């Protein structure tokens, strides 16, 4: 089971350290649950140092990646800047799609992430969001994870229904991506996750707000461990 924490645009440096201080004992434990923390870019080295020093049982991810190779792209952060710190990257989050990110950009980002050897969490609001990739999916089987994230469930406190998750699985069953692991994201916390655990087809969860407070994230880890 995979638990991916998306910090989004939250935390100061001190708050990130406080969170780590509080969570470290729990994150040191050897668990079957694989935990990936995706902080804002500048905190990746901080989390990486903590991880090495405290021997935390976590991986790190970026919340986005540049669609371009190195060059004159002000404000962009590419795989060559990320790959020393991150093993994962989130691509195509609906909060980025709302800003105009389309499937052409998303495909370019996937290509860059694969070049950097990163594992990808590709967020899909529905099956229609799947970008038509023009390369062999076989090659990326262990590198690509699909996160079903209906827009209305994100940050609303109201997760999607189990039926909608099943429907998503059914919809992709007839497409080339049917064998990729599926995660669910949208208003998951220690309370709401209990329903979703029943779905054996889910490989894990992508959580936003429930990862921002150490206590809430701890509670979620407890339920999933
Ligand atoms: P939420 O965010 O858990 O706060 O709903 C989920 C996400 O954006 O991935």
């Amino acid at each position: 089971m995979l638990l991916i924490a998306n910090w989004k645009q939250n935390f100061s440096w001190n708050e990130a350290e406080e969170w780590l201080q509080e969570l470290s004992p729990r994150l040191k434990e050897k668990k079957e649950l694989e935990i990936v923390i995706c902080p804002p870019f500048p905190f990746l080295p901080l989390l990486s140092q903590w991880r090495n020093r405290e021997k935390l049982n976590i991986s790190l991810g970026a919340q986005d990646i540049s669609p371009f190779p190195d060059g004159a792209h002000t404000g962009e952060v590419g795989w060559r800047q990320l790959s020393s710190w991150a093993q994962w990257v989130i691509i195509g989050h609906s909060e980025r799609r709302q800003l105009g990110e389309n499937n052409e950009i998303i495909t370019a980002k996937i290509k860059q992430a694969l070049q950097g050897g990163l594992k990808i969490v590709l967020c899909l609001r529905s099956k229609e969001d799947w970008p038509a990739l023009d390369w062999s999916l076989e090659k990326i089987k262990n590198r690509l994870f699909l996160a079903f994230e209906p827009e209305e469930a994100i940050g609303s406190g109201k997760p999607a229904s189990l039926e909608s998750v099943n429907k998503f699985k059914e919809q992709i069953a007839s497409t080339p991506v049917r064998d990729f692991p599926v995660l669910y994201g949208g208003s998951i916390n220690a309370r709401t996750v209990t329903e979703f655990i029943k779905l054996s087809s889910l490989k894990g969860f992508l959580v936003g707000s429930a990862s921002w407070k150490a206590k809430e994230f701890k509670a979620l880890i407890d339920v999933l461990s």
Side-chain angles (χ1 to χ4, degrees), residues 6 8 93 95 149 153-155 186-188 206-209:
N6 179 3
K8 306 193 183 183
H93 193 282
E95 285 155 12
E149 294 214 314
I154 295 176
S187 297
I188 283 295
L206 175 54
V207 306
S209 43

Side-chain angles (χ1 to χ4, degrees), residues 1-7 33-39 59-63 88-90 119-123 145-147 149 183-185 188 203-211 217 220 224:
M1 178 78 75
L2 197 55
L3 175 60
I4 304 185
N6 179 3
W7 281 11
L33 180 67
E34 192 181 346
I35 299 175
V36 183
I37 314 290
C38 305
S59 304
L60 299 176
Q63 296 173 21
W88 289 77
V89 61
I90 297 172
K119 286 188 181 170
I120 297 164
V121 182
L122 178 62
C123 299
F145 295 71
L146 309 178
E149 294 214 314
L183 316 174
Y184 168 76
I188 283 295
K203 289 285 174 281
F205 300 95
L206 175 54
V207 306
S209 43
S211 70
F217 194 54
L220 185 54
L224 292 175

Side-chain angles (χ1 to χ4, degrees), residues 1 161-163 165-166 194-203 205:
M1 178 78 75
S161 62
L162 298 193
E163 294 81 71
V165 180
N166 282 330
T194 50
E195 274 296 295
F196 288 84
I197 300 173
K198 296 177 196 156
L199 288 183
S200 56
S201 60
L202 282 180
K203 289 285 174 281
F205 300 95

Side-chain angles (χ1 to χ4, degrees), residues 65-69 76-78 104-112:
I65 188 169
S66 171
F68 311 112
E76 294 286 0
V77 181
E104 198 185 325
I105 299 172
I106 287 168
T107 305
K109 288 184 174 184
I110 295 174
K111 282 190 178 158
Q112 290 300 313

Side-chain angles (χ1 to χ4, degrees), residues 8-205:
K8 306 193 183 183
Q9 188 191 328
N10 288 294
F11 292 80
S12 67
W13 185 276
N14 286 346
E15 286 163 355
E17 285 204 307
E18 277 163 26
W19 188 98
L20 285 163
Q21 193 89 50
E22 216 174 317
L23 258 303
S24 281
R26 189 62 52 96
L27 298 178
K28 273 183 203 173
E29 293 164 12
K30 285 262 170 298
K31 288 187 186 304
E32 294 224 343
L33 180 67
E34 192 181 346
I35 299 175
V36 183
I37 314 290
C38 305
F41 289 136
F43 300 157
L44 278 168
L46 171 71
L47 267 74
S48 187
Q49 280 160 11
W50 269 75
R51 183 175 76 135
N52 297 343
R53 196 182 64 222
E54 302 288 324
K55 305 206 172 8
L56 304 182
N57 202 12
I58 58 170
S59 304
L60 299 176
Q63 296 173 21
D64 193 20
I65 188 169
S66 171
F68 311 112
D70 272 7
H73 307 294
T74 301
E76 294 286 0
V77 181
W79 69 263
R80 294 209 331 124
Q81 292 80 50
L82 287 174
S83 58
S84 311
W85 313 109
Q87 300 76 48
W88 289 77
V89 61
I90 297 172
I91 296 180
H93 193 282
S94 66
E95 285 155 12
R96 301 210 59 81
R97 291 183 195 255
Q98 280 160 15
L99 298 174
E101 192 164 297
N102 58 27
N103 272 350
E104 198 185 325
I105 299 172
I106 287 168
T107 305
K109 288 184 174 184
I110 295 174
K111 282 190 178 158
Q112 290 300 313
L114 289 173
Q115 248 190 303
L118 298 170
K119 286 188 181 170
I120 297 164
V121 182
L122 178 62
C123 299
L124 305 172
R125 296 167 299 186
S126 68
K127 179 192 151 226
E128 277 64 46
D129 275 345
W130 169 254
L133 301 177
D134 55 355
W135 66 83
S136 154
L137 294 176
E138 195 55 40
K139 266 199 322 213
I140 54 175
K141 234 181 191 158
N142 301 320
R143 310 267 301 279
L144 185 69
F145 295 71
L146 309 178
F148 173 53
E149 294 214 314
E151 210 159 9
E152 62 283 1
I154 295 176
S156 66
K158 289 199 191 93
S161 62
L162 298 193
E163 294 81 71
S164 66
V165 180
N166 282 330
K167 201 163 148 220
F168 176 78
K169 286 284 290 183
E170 271 166 35
Q171 283 175 338
I172 64 166
S174 57
T175 72
V177 293
R178 64 183 158 266
D179 294 330
F180 287 94
V182 174
L183 316 174
Y184 168 76
S187 297
I188 283 295
N189 56 40
R191 188 178 48 80
T192 57
V193 80
T194 50
E195 274 296 295
F196 288 84
I197 300 173
K198 296 177 196 156
L199 288 183
S200 56
S201 60
L202 282 180
K203 289 285 174 281
F205 300 95

